Amino acid sequence: MPLLSKEDELHGYAPDSFAFWRNLAVYFCVFSVLGHWMEIAYCSFMNLFGIVDADSLVWDDPMYPFLVYGVGTAVCVIVLVPLKTRLVERRRTLVGAGVQFFIVTVVVCMLMELCMGFMLNQPNAAGVYPLWDNSQLPLNVLGQAWLVNDVALGAVAMLYTWVIYPLCQKALAKLPLRVMNLTAAVVVGGFVVLCVVKFS
């Protein structure tokens, strides 16, 4: 049985509307910060096994935005929500759709981790990676991605796509239009200021 009704799953999913993109901008800003907090918790657990470097950026200022999580929410909404809808319609069971969807999310997360690594995490002449080093871990992918991370991120992406996003859309739709527009302007404006301060 679905976690949400069909109406709730699709609530507010209207890419041809201003509200859809306004809300997505809010999610990008909010989850860029919340994603850093989630990574702090995840890395704290992984650090029990001595995996995370002591000088990793994750331990710095918790208000430092990790934009990759904002990008991740956008990918979930723009790409994975429609995919989920198609899989649920085509598969015989919800479990079958969920398993197939999860496999896709793991691959997507791995590709995003690889792309970010190739752009931002190239080793220097001494072979030292500036942000993270997965090259010595089993199940690493080209020294940048790590399958264990991708499975965890895939689970988060699935939770966001199947449950969190539709519930957030339904909750935001209950706010009066003027209040929601003002809230979005404040969140986006505040996030821009935060990025200017933290990235300068």
Side-chain angles (χ1 to χ4, degrees):
M1 186 172 183
L3 296 173
L4 300 171
S5 69
K6 183 79 170 179
E7 180 182 356
D8 285 348
E9 286 181 348
L10 297 177
H11 197 98
Y13 190 82
D16 58 343
S17 70
F18 169 74
F20 174 86
W21 297 103
R22 176 204 63 202
N23 291 359
L24 185 55
V26 170
Y27 301 145
F28 180 94
C29 298
V30 171
F31 286 100
S32 289
V33 176
L34 292 183
H36 186 173
W37 298 355
M38 178 188 72
E39 190 161 330
I40 291 172
Y42 177 72
C43 288
S44 295
F45 171 74
M46 291 306 244
N47 207 32
L48 296 174
F49 307 98
I51 292 175
V52 184
D53 292 335
D55 58 349
S56 171
L57 183 62
V58 73
W59 308 122
D60 287 349
D61 183 355
M63 291 305 296
Y64 189 93
F66 278 15
L67 300 184
V68 66
Y69 290 104
V71 173
T73 59
V75 170
C76 285
V77 172
I78 296 170
V79 178
L80 297 183
V81 168
L83 174 65
K84 180 202 74 170
T85 302
R86 286 196 296 271
L87 289 178
V88 169
E89 290 173 350
R90 292 179 182 178
R91 300 291 295 190
R92 293 182 179 180
T93 66
L94 188 63
V95 171
V99 170
Q100 188 173 353
F101 181 87
F102 178 69
I103 293 171
V104 172
T105 61
V106 171
V107 172
V108 169
C109 289
M110 181 185 67
L111 292 175
M112 288 181 65
E113 190 175 16
L114 282 173
C115 288
M116 189 172 70
F118 291 141
M119 288 189 299
L120 304 174
N121 193 44
Q122 289 300 302
N124 60 22
V128 178
Y129 289 80
L131 298 177
W132 68 85
D133 185 358
N134 291 331
S135 63
Q136 302 303 315
L137 296 174
L139 302 178
N140 81 82
V141 182
L142 301 178
Q144 294 286 355
W146 187 34
L147 190 57
V148 174
N149 284 346
D150 301 325
V151 168
L153 290 170
V156 171
M158 185 167 184
L159 176 64
Y160 180 80
T161 304
W162 286 60
V163 180
I164 296 174
Y165 174 73
L167 289 180
C168 286
Q169 285 290 87
K170 188 174 184 181
L172 294 186
K174 294 179 180 179
L175 294 175
L177 180 60
R178 290 183 180 178
V179 172
M180 187 58 226
N181 286 341
L182 178 60
T183 300
V186 169
V187 170
V188 173
F191 183 74
V192 169
V193 171
L194 179 66
C195 287
V196 170
V197 171
K198 299 301 181 181
F199 296 158
S200 61

